[in-house]
Amino acid sequence: MIDKLDLLLALSREQHFGRAAEACHVTQQTLSAGVKRLEGQLGTRLVQRGSRFQGFTPEGERVLAWARRIVADTRAMREDVATLRRGPAGHLRIAAIPTVLPMIAALTVPYHLRYPDVRLSVLSATSDDILDRIENLEADAGLTYLDGEPFGRLTAIPLFRERYQLLTAVGGLHDGMDRITWAEVGRTPLCLPTPDLQNRRIIDQQIRASGIEPAPALESNSMIVLMSHVRTLRWASIMPAVLTEALGPLPGLRAIPIVEPDIRQTVGIVVPEREPATPMVAALVGLCRQVARTLGDGALSAQALRSCAAQ
């Protein structure tokens, strides 16, 4: 039955018979036949069919919830047994919010040194998408914001406290300033992350709290695009200190701490709440706890990153 549940999960992810079959490396006829056999075994219709995929029946949605749990536990069991023979091995997929991607080497480098038989993938995703990927078994762990988030059956481990800086060009309006308030930031011509990123929602909330409505001239979900536009001297941007510090010196750019208030957001790792945890995920959790202790009060710096990566 596990192989049929895998087909059902692929159909849920792709929302299309052809793409689901391709993802499972089977023909569309094989996928449809597998789903029908599962319906026969369970004695109920799971998929609403027409000339194309039309969604799941209420019974299908309930089976999907069980399928995620059963397939995840089956994979975990196989990994656990294999680890007894050869140690952690396989494929570990980490989804991360874009602003923390430059620091993720603080996790992946020591992890790879300890477990060279584990292949690592790092995916950029929004905070909402990270939770969906973990639920749909497309990611094993997520690096995301923790404050005020409903995580359900996920375990969250804090890593550091994110603080914000105004990224501006040398020779621009803010030369000579060593700090800037949110009110002053709100009156600055800005290019900002797109509204689907939680980082942008945090920024908007702070600018509005200073009595100004955010009105960026340009938006992008690429930090590189934002940096390139800051270099034009037309705009500034707002970025977490972890991003600018992990990238090192940025020629032609300078970062100014934003104060009044000096807000900080907790960023950490989230993993499925499963006992026993899969060996690869358990190893990642142990490493994250070590990194959190190295970071201390969460003032993430370039030196702290190098210390984490060298562990």
Side-chain angles (χ1 to χ4, degrees):
M1 179 180 283
I2 296 296
D3 58 337
K4 300 181 185 64
L5 294 178
D6 269 323
L7 296 176
L8 198 69
L9 289 175
L11 188 56
S12 173
R13 290 192 299 269
E14 301 296 336
Q15 300 288 299
H16 186 276
F17 287 111
R19 290 195 299 270
E22 185 177 352
C24 294
H25 307 290
V26 299
T27 65
Q28 186 170 330
Q29 182 178 4
T30 298
L31 182 138
S32 296
V35 172
K36 287 181 179 178
R37 283 196 292 272
L38 181 62
E39 290 176 324
Q41 287 178 295
L42 296 175
T44 187
R45 188 177 182 183
L46 305 177
V47 177
Q48 296 176 354
R49 295 178 180 83
S51 57
R52 62 185 64 186
F53 177 75
Q54 297 179 351
F56 292 92
T57 64
E59 294 82 0
E61 293 289 350
R62 182 62 62 87
V63 171
L64 275 173
W66 280 102
R68 294 186 184 102
R69 183 179 304 179
I70 292 169
V71 170
D73 285 346
T74 301
R75 291 179 184 176
M77 177 186 66
R78 289 171 177 166
E79 182 187 327
D80 200 14
V81 172
T83 299
L84 293 175
R85 298 196 308 269
R86 63 176 188 263
H91 186 196
L92 181 67
R93 302 158 300 172
I94 304 172
I97 52 177
T99 53
V100 302
L101 290 175
M103 65 75 60
I104 205 161
L107 298 177
T108 55
V109 171
Y111 191 99
H112 174 70
L113 291 174
R114 297 180 192 184
Y115 310 106
D117 292 329
V118 176
R119 180 166 60 94
L120 296 163
S121 292
V122 178
L123 312 170
S124 178
T126 67
S127 53
D128 290 338
D129 190 32
I130 286 172
L131 302 184
D132 289 340
R133 284 178 179 271
I134 294 176
E135 180 182 2
N136 291 318
L137 310 183
E138 297 176 279
D140 304 296
L143 193 59
T144 185
Y145 294 101
L146 302 187
D147 294 327
E149 290 294 314
F151 291 122
R153 295 191 303 273
L154 296 178
T155 298
I157 301 129
L159 285 176
F160 63 91
R161 297 277 285 170
E162 182 180 81
R163 62 193 193 280
Y164 295 89
Q165 298 176 330
L166 183 75
L167 190 69
T168 183
V170 174
L173 296 173
H174 304 92
D175 273 4
M177 298 181 66
D178 59 2
R179 58 172 51 193
I180 189 169
T181 67
W182 281 99
E184 291 170 322
V185 167
R187 293 190 292 270
T188 298
L190 294 171
C191 54
L192 294 176
T194 49
D196 61 314
L197 299 179
Q198 187 166 347
N199 169 263
R200 168 62 186 280
R201 297 194 287 272
I202 294 169
I203 290 170
D204 284 352
Q205 180 181 4
Q206 290 305 313
I207 293 177
R208 287 194 182 100
S210 70
I212 300 170
E213 185 63 24
L218 181 141
E219 299 174 329
S220 176
N221 61 359
S222 166
M223 301 300 113
I224 293 176
V225 169
L226 295 177
M227 287 181 183
S228 67
H229 282 80
V230 171
R231 292 183 191 278
T232 68
L233 296 175
R234 292 181 176 274
W235 303 294
S237 191
I238 302 170
M239 296 188 182
V242 61
L243 181 63
T244 56
E245 292 175 358
L247 292 175
L250 299 170
L253 300 177
R254 59 188 299 261
I256 306 172
I258 305 176
V259 296
E260 297 183 20
D262 178 11
I263 66 165
R264 304 201 177 199
Q265 297 288 325
T266 304
V267 175
I269 203 92
V270 291
V271 298
E273 191 177 75
R274 181 176 295 114
E275 186 61 40
T278 67
M280 288 190 296
V281 169
L284 179 63
V285 168
L287 175 61
C288 287
R289 296 192 190 281
Q290 291 181 16
V291 169
R293 288 194 294 270
T294 299
L295 297 178
D297 63 1
L300 191 61
S301 65
Q303 183 177 359
L305 284 173
R306 286 193 293 270
S307 175
C308 294
Q311 291 186 39

